[in-house]
Amino acid sequence: MPSDLVSSPTVRSRPRFAAWSDPTVTLLAVLVVIAVIVFAALTPARFLSGDTVRAIAFQMPELGILSLAMMVPLMSGGLNLAIISTANLSALVMAGVLTNLIHPTSPPWVIVAAILAALLCGMLTCLVIGFLTGVIVAFFGVHPILVTLGTMTLVKGVAVLATSGTVIGGFPPAILFLGNGSVLGIPASMILFVLCAVVVAMMVAHTPFGVSVRLIGSNEKATRYSGVATEWVLVGVYVVSSLLCWVAALVMMARFNSASAGYAESYLLITILAAVLGGIDPFGGFGRVFGLFLSLVLLQVISTGFNLLGFSPYLTAAIWGATMIIAILIAVVRDRWIARIWPAKVK
């Protein structure tokens, strides 16, 4: 990483904290503990039960993987509003392949071949969507919000047109295991989410691609002048985001044993909320996967507690929206505060 780029007055910077000493991580950990104590006190018999813990462990992975798909574009200073529609279309493609190739009398080798073909088709679908989105953002200079909003509408329209809005279901046990099975008592979907989180964390923090993504989020022009091929890095950002949507599609279709163009639409707001609340800078350049993970735990604990208390889901959605606005305001105030405290590093 060129030293002249890091010291450039046009690049935003922050003091670097170890994961365990990051103020955002510490605050989120404290909030998780407080939320658990509060809901345990309000509904002790129901909240502090094995069923509640299992429900959280099975529900969080799909939202978590979609939040990772939102995090990567946010780190580059962009946004991907098409993650839900991309995941749904990928799930429908995989569901279509599976239901057309597998029959009650199909031998095991046909089932295995059909699963592999479905996985490949779903992955290629996401690759195409991510690549085209990245090319338009990077090479044509169209704002990511406009591009991904158009992509979201286009992809959902294609999905609804192809299926007439119906649900496709009935998958082999190997697929259903990803959403409902467990390994040593740990949900398979949670293991998959943790693996994705580790890969994204390593990629963002310890690879040239990840460093370039963070630098682009700090200042794209300065990064381009330093010799980084920013256009292709941005294409890679949306390809990675779409591939994570493919993994999320697998988890969703496995958990519901069906695929539809309208699944998980309420998750879009929550993925942005989870990312911003977890310390991902909405303007790009900064953030940790561990912070995102803690924010997901906090949101899932609060959501579960609200459900046990009988809160209206509409009230919960309103609270999420207000929380996102507050989190963004806090991020802006935090940056200005840091700029005053560390004037030598942020000019």
Side-chain angles (χ1 to χ4, degrees):
M1 185 166 59
S3 59
D4 58 334
L5 177 60
V6 176
S7 60
S8 168
T10 60
V11 178
R12 297 185 301 121
S13 69
R14 288 185 189 169
R16 297 184 64 83
F17 299 97
W20 55 86
S21 63
D22 189 325
T24 301
V25 170
T26 303
L27 176 60
L28 285 170
V30 171
L31 290 175
V32 169
V33 173
I34 292 175
V36 170
I37 292 174
V38 169
F39 288 118
L42 293 174
T43 57
R46 300 174 64 190
F47 189 81
L48 295 178
S49 66
D51 290 339
T52 299
V53 174
R54 281 192 294 271
I56 292 175
F58 276 105
Q59 292 169 9
M60 196 172 78
E62 62 199 52
L63 177 59
I65 298 171
L66 288 169
S67 297
L68 290 172
M70 182 62 75
M71 171 190 170
V72 178
L74 281 173
M75 291 284 288
S76 71
L79 193 68
N80 189 356
L81 298 176
I83 57 172
I84 306 300
S85 56
T86 299
N88 282 333
L89 181 61
S90 177
L92 285 169
V93 169
M94 290 188 285
V97 173
L98 290 171
T99 54
N100 280 283
L101 295 183
I102 297 178
H103 305 285
T105 57
S106 297
W109 69 268
V110 171
I111 296 176
V112 172
I115 292 175
L116 293 177
L119 294 177
L120 180 61
C121 290
M123 183 180 68
L124 289 176
T125 300
C126 290
L127 278 175
V128 170
I129 295 172
F131 180 79
L132 293 178
T133 301
V135 166
I136 296 173
V137 170
F139 290 97
F140 291 89
V142 184
H143 198 284
I145 291 180
L146 298 177
V147 177
T148 56
L149 181 62
T151 304
M152 175 184 70
T153 307
L154 172 63
V155 170
K156 183 176 180 179
V158 170
V160 173
L161 178 64
T163 61
S164 299
T166 59
V167 174
I168 302 177
F171 309 133
I175 294 293
L176 299 181
F177 177 80
L178 292 175
N180 303 284
S182 299
V183 178
L184 300 177
I186 303 173
S189 56
M190 178 61 74
I191 296 174
L192 194 58
F193 166 50
V194 171
L195 289 175
C196 289
V198 170
V199 170
V200 172
M202 295 295 292
M203 179 193 71
V204 169
H206 302 292
T207 67
F209 172 75
V211 172
S212 298
V213 170
R214 290 189 283 114
L215 289 174
I216 289 173
S218 297
N219 190 301
E220 183 178 353
K221 286 187 177 179
T223 306
R224 186 186 306 118
Y225 292 152
S226 72
V228 176
T230 55
E231 289 84 1
W232 288 110
V233 173
L234 285 174
V235 172
V237 163
Y238 289 93
V239 167
V240 170
S241 178
S242 291
L243 286 177
L244 287 166
C245 292
W246 169 58
V247 181
L250 272 172
V251 174
M252 286 194 298
M253 64 186 291
R255 198 162 80 88
F256 302 138
N257 193 20
S258 62
S260 170
Y263 281 167
E265 290 183 336
S266 62
Y267 282 177
L268 183 59
L269 169 67
I270 304 177
T271 59
I272 301 174
L273 169 60
V276 176
L277 190 63
I280 311 302
D281 194 320
F283 303 105
F286 309 99
R288 294 180 184 275
V289 171
F290 189 55
L292 174 66
F293 178 81
L294 286 178
S295 73
L296 287 166
V297 173
L298 176 62
L299 292 174
Q300 194 64 59
V301 168
I302 293 175
S303 178
T304 302
F306 283 174
N307 287 336
L308 293 177
L309 291 173
F311 278 33
S312 167
Y314 302 108
L315 176 61
T316 303
I319 293 174
W320 290 157
T323 304
M324 186 170 71
I325 293 173
I326 293 171
I328 293 175
L329 289 175
I330 291 174
V332 173
V333 173
R334 176 192 60 204
D335 285 349
R336 293 179 180 177
W337 180 74
I338 290 175
R340 293 180 181 179
I341 298 299
W342 284 272
K345 293 184 178 182
V346 185
K347 299 182 180 178

